[in-house]
Amino acid sequence: MYYVYILANITGTVIYTGVTNDLIRRVYEHKNHLDKGSFTSRYNVEQLVYYEITSDVEAAIAREKQIKGWNRKRKDKLIAGMNPSWEDLYERIL
C-alpha cells in the first residue's frame, strides 16, 4: 500500500504533502523531528490531517504532485472533506 498524506502544524497555518509506503513510520518520523533540517521539522508540521491509500505507487506519486500543485484553498477543502475539525489522525491509524 502507498499513502498520500497531508500534515499541518498545530494552528493549521502550515501544511506539507507527502507520499510513503508506511504511513505510521513516516508520521512518527515527522512527529519526532528525525530529519532535523527538514521543512516539517523547521515549521513543527507534525499533525496528520489527511491521507489517501492506493496500491499503485505511480498513482500515489501522481496524486501527491497533483495536490502539491493546488492552491491552499483547494487543499484546505480536501482536508475538511475528510477531517472537518483538522484533528490529528495519527492515533486512529495506530
Side-chain angles (χ1 to χ4, degrees), residues 57-71:
V57 66
E58 292 173 5
I61 292 167
R63 180 66 167 156
E64 176 199 27
K65 289 179 181 178
Q66 179 186 43
I67 293 170
K68 283 184 172 185
W70 291 353
N71 64 33

Side-chain angles (χ1 to χ4, degrees), residues 33 35-45:
H33 306 278
D35 182 359
K36 300 296 182 200
S38 70
F39 175 87
T40 57
S41 183
R42 283 194 314 267
Y43 294 98
N44 293 313
V45 179

Side-chain angles (χ1 to χ4, degrees), residues 3-8 15-20 23 27 30 45-54 60 63-64 66-68 70 74-90 92-93:
Y3 305 86
V4 178
Y5 63 95
I6 301 176
L7 303 175
I15 61 173
Y16 170 85
T17 304
V19 65
T20 185
L23 187 59
V27 175
H30 288 298
V45 179
E46 57 188 48
Q47 294 196 62
L48 178 65
V49 293
Y50 178 85
Y51 65 94
E52 298 177 5
I53 306 169
T54 181
R63 180 66 167 156
E64 176 199 27
Q66 179 186 43
I67 293 170
K68 283 184 172 185
W70 291 353
R74 189 167 180 186
K75 292 174 191 177
D76 288 353
K77 187 175 179 181
L78 177 70
I79 295 164
M82 175 190 200
N83 185 4
S85 61
W86 286 56
E87 67 182 276
D88 189 351
L89 303 173
Y90 184 64
R92 290 186 186 181
I93 66 169

